[in-house]
Amino acid sequence: MSKQTTFALACVVVLSALVPGVAGYLTARMEAIEAAERNLRALEARLQLREARDARPVSYSVPCLRTPSTPQLQEFSASALGREEHAGRRQPGEAASDWLPGLLQDVEHAVTGE
């Protein structure tokens, strides 16, 4: 064979391996760029939604659907505690455990309106 024929066959063999490889590489790069663009658009949309949610005015005119329950206090009468009528008032020299139940009773009466 001549040198030209050998050279031409060598070029055809190299190009037959090189062209599909380059085409595959470029296709993979283009797909990666398109995926990055899709992710960027999704992140931008989420950011816009978050900004729109944070920017909208808060409306407090909607009534509450569930009101919290008031704590139930146990009732004690002043006579049951062995105290005079003004059980919630602290006397000089009294320990907190002596006057605290009377104070709780006075608070309960104030809350319930009795």
Side-chain angles (χ1 to χ4, degrees), residues 6-22:
T6 306
F7 180 73
L9 287 175
C11 286
V12 168
V13 169
V14 169
L15 287 176
S16 67
L18 189 64
V19 170
V22 170

Side-chain angles (χ1 to χ4, degrees), residues 19-95:
V19 170
V22 170
Y25 172 77
L26 292 176
T27 303
R29 292 290 292 180
M30 292 300 294
E31 288 176 0
I33 290 171
E34 289 172 359
E37 286 178 354
R38 282 193 305 271
N39 289 338
L40 180 62
R41 285 191 194 109
L43 288 172
E44 286 175 344
R46 286 176 52 194
L47 179 62
Q48 288 173 354
L49 284 174
R50 183 174 291 168
E51 287 175 349
R53 183 181 60 220
D54 292 343
R56 72 174 179 221
V58 178
S59 174
Y60 293 106
S61 63
V62 178
C64 292
L65 299 176
R66 180 176 164 252
T67 57
S69 62
T70 57
Q72 301 296 322
L73 299 176
Q74 189 175 4
E75 291 188 28
F76 293 102
S77 66
S79 61
L81 295 172
R83 303 276 312 211
E84 65 267 5
E85 183 61 32
H86 302 289
R89 296 194 183 137
R90 183 172 180 228
Q91 302 297 324
E94 280 185 308

Side-chain angles (χ1 to χ4, degrees), residues 75 105-114:
E75 291 188 28
Q105 181 184 9
D106 288 347
V107 170
E108 179 185 42
H109 286 298
V111 170
T112 58
E114 293 178 2

